[in-house]
Structures are given as C-alpha cells and as structure tokens.
C-alpha cells in the first residue's frame, strides 16, 4: 500500500475541499476511456486483462534463456527500459547475487559506453532482449545491430537465434519484421498501452523473468492497486490533486521526488519519465526532479534549505519495512563517539533522519512536503506502486487538461536528428 500523508504540504484543507465533481468526471473519463488519448488507456484494466497464456510462454522462454546466460542485454530507451531497470534495482538491489546480470543498452549513443559493454561481455555468456514498440527508434536500433552482430560473430547463428528475443508490436515495425525473418522469439506490446505505462507488459516482465524476479507477485501488486484505486476517492488521486494545487494555486514549478533508499534511484527516474513525458506539454506541467538522501543532502540539500524559494516542493518516499535491517556495532572504547546510536537499528536511524530533514525543510525552509509511505520494497510493492503512480499521473494530467499519452515534443529532436543524419525520405 501507499499512504499519501499530506500533513506537511500546507494544502491539506484545500485537497479535502477540492471539487469532487471534477475528480469524478476525470475518474469516469479514465475508466470509460473517453478522455484525450483514450486509445492508450489499456493499462487501466491490464492487471486483470493481461494475456496469461503469453505470460506463461514468457516464463518458459525466460527460464530457458536464464539457464544459458550470465548477462542479459536489455535494449531499449525511455518507457522501453526504465520500468525493467527500476524493478530490477528496487527488488534485487544494486549488487544482486543472482547469476543473471541485466545490462541496459540502447538508451545512449555513447560509443565509449557501448565499447565498454562489448569489452565487459566478451568472455561472458550473454543474451539479448530488444524492446521497442515502434520498432524504429534509432538508439536501440543501433545498439541491437552492434550486439546482435557481436553475438553472431562470437557464437554463431544458431546460438544467437536461441538467445535473442524481441518485444514489440504484434504486427508492425522494423523490429517485428526482422524478428520474424530471423526466427527470433517475440512477445507483444499491446496496441493500447504506451511505453511509459507498459512496465507490467512483456516490456518489463520478460527481462525481469530472466533475472529471476517473481512477476506473478508484480501482477498481484498491480491488481491490488487497481482494486484499491477503483473508487473515486483514493490516495493516488489525493496526491494528484495536491501536486495540481501546489502547481496551479501555489505556483510551484518543480516537484522533487526524494527517496532514502539508493535502490529506488531508478524508480525515481521511471517516475520522472512518467510525469515529465505525460504532463510536460502545451506550456504546462511541473518539472519532475529527484534526489536520493542522505547523499544529495550533501549537495542539493544546501539549495533546498537556503536557495531560491518557491520553486520546488518535495514528495518523499518513506519505506516502512526495509528488505533487511542491521545494527550499528557497539564498541567498548567508543573512540568515534557513536555508541549513542546503537539503541536504534540502521533503518530506524534512516527514518529518524527523514523526520529531521522534513522538519528542516518544512519548518525551516517553508517547503511543502508530501510523504508517500511504501509498506515495503519488493516485487508486489513494485507492481502496486507503478500502477498507483500511473493512475495518479492520468488524473494529474487530465486536471491540467493535457493528453497524458502522447509525446509530440520527443518527435522534434528525432526529426532534426534524422535530417542531419540524412535518413532516406526525411527532408
Ligand atoms: O513512453 C514512451 O512512449 C516513450 O518513452 C517510448 O517508450 C520510447 O520513446 C521508446 O519508444 P519505442 O518503444 O517505440 O522504441
């Protein structure tokens, strides 16, 4: 579960008094699929309607691949990789002991990074999952070419064929055509689900299965979230209303998502993409930013406390139950003077830090804080939280009168790049 605690937001009353009819109308728009971009609302019912047979087939293919490789290269950009990576790190941690490592490529055109990965996998057994809905995105396209060729050259065509999987549209796009022509296994990205809303489709789940993650638990979490948010009054909408009011009434221009867990860093990147790409259009939207505390308290913490005012408000993810808790050792001589800390576990100390920082930021710097409480940090919670934020995002964008499901701004750079690179047919 996620509780939205608005105690320190300064707009608790306004959120309670917010126009219920407006929220009710948007809720209906989301569920009856009647709002802007309604052709991309397939994610709303997905935790119930997802293709179970395909999920089972993915398990078989992923298990087979898992038994053959040490590294899975996850090729994709934006919504085609951030969800898998966010889940991978949130669930397995930053240094997983599981035998299969996930490495993310195709989200950059850095030649140095690409060569580094080639060097790293040179003596390893690796496979590739290529994720692209359009099947025509340049960055993953280039990466796939490079790594596919490397796999074929080092292992031969038959091995490559047994270790390459494509996740793409059911019938369209260059990737689908190529995968069919070469006999690669394919899994489908549903037509009515866009990239940043697709983490619980094969886009995220295939790589996670190869990594040994319990994807049934992810889907269970998403389903629970769907049920908890089926009413017109729910925590996700409260959060959406709070950020809407802080933006439009109190004139804040940026929301900073803060976590005190390093393994939620990519989760905050996923969140940034979800809200940034969904709401940042028509000259509107909050700029989504993120920090990981304590580390960023020693950098941006200074700006937050004493810098330019009335730009940022904070939303803090507080994790109730850590994956594991440990104690600070008690020393007989106490030369570093830290024995006073040993009455608390490390997680408790982390939580006390949260209270201290909230006090400093809210009461000292007058920064509104919303506290989002995650019960835990596992597969089920990942499914729950991603659905929760997607629902909040749809409400939030519709409150601003924005289509949450397109990304016209992203097309501008692509077009320029194609022109400069001399892509055939582009003027
Ligand atoms: O959220 C989105 O729709 C985007 O971030 C896309 O996922 C991203 O641009 C990648 O597109 P594609 O999957 O078509 O390669």
């Amino acid at each position: 579960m996620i509780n939205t605690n608005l105690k320190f937001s300064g707009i608790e009353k306004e959120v309670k008094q917010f126009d219920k009819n407006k929220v009710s109308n948007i809720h209906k728009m989301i569920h009856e699929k009647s709002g802007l971009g309604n052709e991309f609302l397939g994610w709303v019912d997905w935790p119930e309607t997802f293709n179970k047979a395909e999920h089972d087939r993915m398990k078989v293919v992923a298990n087979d691949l898992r038994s053959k490789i040490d590294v899975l290269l996850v090729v994709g950009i934006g919504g085609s990789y951030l969800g898998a990576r966010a889940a991978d790190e949130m669930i397995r941690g930053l240094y997983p002991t599981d035998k299969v490592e996930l490495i993310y490529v195709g989200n950059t055109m850095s030649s140095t990074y690409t060569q580094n990965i080639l060097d790293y996998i040179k003596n390893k057994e690796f496979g590739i999952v290529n994720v692209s809905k359009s099947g025509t995105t340049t960055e993953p396209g280039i990466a796939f070419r490079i790594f596919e060729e490397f796999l074929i050259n080092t292992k031969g065509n038959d091995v490559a064929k047994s270790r390459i999987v494509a996740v793409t549209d059911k019938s369209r796009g260059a990737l689908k055509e190529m995968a069919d022509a070469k006999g690669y296994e394919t899994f489908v990205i549903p037509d009515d689900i866009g990239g940043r809303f697709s983490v619980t489709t094969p886009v995220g789940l295939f790589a996670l299965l190869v990594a040994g993650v319990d994807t049934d638990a992810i889907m269970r979490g998403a389903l629970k979230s769907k049920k908890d948010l089926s009413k017109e009054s729910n925590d996700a909408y409260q959060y959406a209303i709070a950020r809407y009011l802080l933006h439009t009434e109190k004139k804040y221009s940026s929301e900073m998502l803060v976590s005190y867990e390093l393994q939620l860093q990519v989760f905050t990147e996923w969140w940034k993409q979800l809200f940034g790409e969904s709401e940042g259009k028509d000259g509107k939207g909050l700029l989504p930013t993120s920090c990981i505390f304590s580390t960023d308290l020693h950098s941006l913490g200074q700006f937050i406390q004493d810098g330019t005012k009335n730009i940022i408000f904070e939303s803090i993810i507080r994790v109730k139950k850590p994956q594991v808790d440990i104690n600070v050792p008690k020393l007989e001589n106490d030369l570093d003077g830290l024995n006073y800390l040993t009455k608390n576990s490390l997680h408790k100390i982390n939580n006390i830090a949260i209270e201290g920082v909230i006090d400093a930021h809210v009461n000292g710097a007058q920064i509104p804080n919303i506290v989002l409480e995650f019960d835990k940090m596992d597969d089920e919670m990942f499914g729950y939280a991603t659905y929760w934020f997607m629902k909040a995002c749809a409400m939030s964008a519709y409150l601003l009168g924005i289509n949450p499901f397109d990304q016209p701004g992203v097309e501008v750079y692509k077009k320029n790049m194609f022109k400069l690179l001399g892509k055939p047919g582009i003027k």
Side-chain angles (χ1 to χ4, degrees), residues 17 42 85 92 110 118 217 244 247 257 274 284 287 290 313 324 339 347 375 402-403 405 419 422:
Q17 290 167 349
R85 187 167 187 175
R92 298 201 306 164
S110 161
L118 285 166
Y244 171 76
H247 184 33
L257 187 67
L274 179 69
K284 296 182 189 170
L287 171 70
S290 66
F313 71 89
V324 59
N339 269 359
H347 184 68
D375 280 347
I402 282 170
N403 174 357
F405 307 114
K419 233 194 293 181

Side-chain angles (χ1 to χ4, degrees), residues 77-80 132-134 137 195-196 273 277 407:
I77 193 164
S80 286
S132 177
K133 186 169 187 194
S134 62
T137 310
R196 54 195 176 275
Q273 191 220 356
E277 215 174 5
Q407 50 283 326

Side-chain angles (χ1 to χ4, degrees), residues 62-63 65-66 69 72 98 100 102 205-213:
N63 269 336
L65 189 54
R66 187 173 155 76
I69 60 172
L72 179 69
D98 185 85
V100 179
L102 301 188
L205 298 194
F206 182 77
L208 293 170
L209 279 166
V210 177
V213 169

Side-chain angles (χ1 to χ4, degrees), residues 129-341:
V129 57
N130 188 2
V131 188
S132 177
K133 186 169 187 194
S134 62
T136 54
T137 310
T138 313
E139 292 86 344
I142 293 174
F144 183 67
R145 240 191 206 216
I146 293 170
F147 291 104
E148 180 199 39
E149 189 196 42
F150 188 62
L151 186 55
I152 293 172
N153 287 347
T154 50
K155 300 282 173 188
N157 268 317
D158 288 347
V159 170
K161 201 168 137 183
S162 71
R163 291 191 191 175
I164 294 177
V165 170
V167 178
T168 188
D169 187 86
K170 65 175 182 313
S171 55
R172 279 171 306 183
L175 177 56
K176 173 67 181 158
E177 278 171 34
M178 180 173 62
D180 285 349
K182 295 186 178 180
Y184 299 150
E185 194 72 62
T186 60
F187 295 102
V188 174
I189 308 177
D191 280 343
D192 56 356
I193 302 183
R196 54 195 176 275
F197 291 81
S198 70
V199 57
T200 54
T201 73
V203 169
L205 298 194
F206 182 77
L208 293 170
L209 279 166
V210 177
V213 169
D214 182 352
T215 56
D216 289 326
I218 291 182
M219 295 314 293
R220 236 182 3 255
L223 183 60
K224 174 150 182 19
S225 194
K226 179 184 184 299
K227 286 185 180 153
D228 287 355
L229 306 180
S230 62
K231 295 199 192 84
E232 287 175 11
S233 167
N234 63 59
D235 274 324
Y237 289 172
Q238 286 238 325
Y239 165 65
I241 295 165
R243 62 195 301 287
Y244 171 76
L245 290 174
L246 285 165
H247 184 33
T248 57
E249 304 277 319
K250 307 282 176 187
K251 305 295 175 208
Y252 286 91
S253 51
S254 179
E255 175 181 12
M256 181 175 279
L257 187 67
V258 176
S259 166
Y260 283 70
E261 296 285 348
L262 275 171
Q263 65 196 69
L264 290 182
Q265 184 154 23
V266 179
F267 187 90
T268 69
E269 296 300 323
W270 172 86
W271 170 89
K272 277 197 296 214
Q273 191 220 356
L274 179 69
F275 281 91
E277 215 174 5
S278 301
E279 287 193 330
K281 50 193 83 151
D282 304 343
K284 296 182 189 170
L286 279 163
L287 171 70
T289 56
S290 66
C291 267
I292 301 294
F293 290 170
S294 291
T295 178
D296 289 327
L297 284 171
H298 295 252
S299 62
L300 285 187
Q302 174 59 40
F303 182 94
I304 298 166
Q305 192 73 44
D306 285 338
T308 317
K309 292 290 166 220
N310 300 326
I311 304 176
I312 303 166
F313 71 89
E314 292 171 290
S315 293
I316 294 115
I317 299 179
R318 183 209 289 259
V319 176
K320 271 200 212 156
K321 193 170 179 296
Q323 283 179 346
V324 59
D325 201 359
I326 59 172
N327 291 316
V328 180
K330 195 168 188 165
L331 301 182
E332 221 163 81
N333 52 28
D334 195 23
L335 285 178
D336 54 8
L338 297 181
N339 269 359
Y340 77 98
L341 292 172

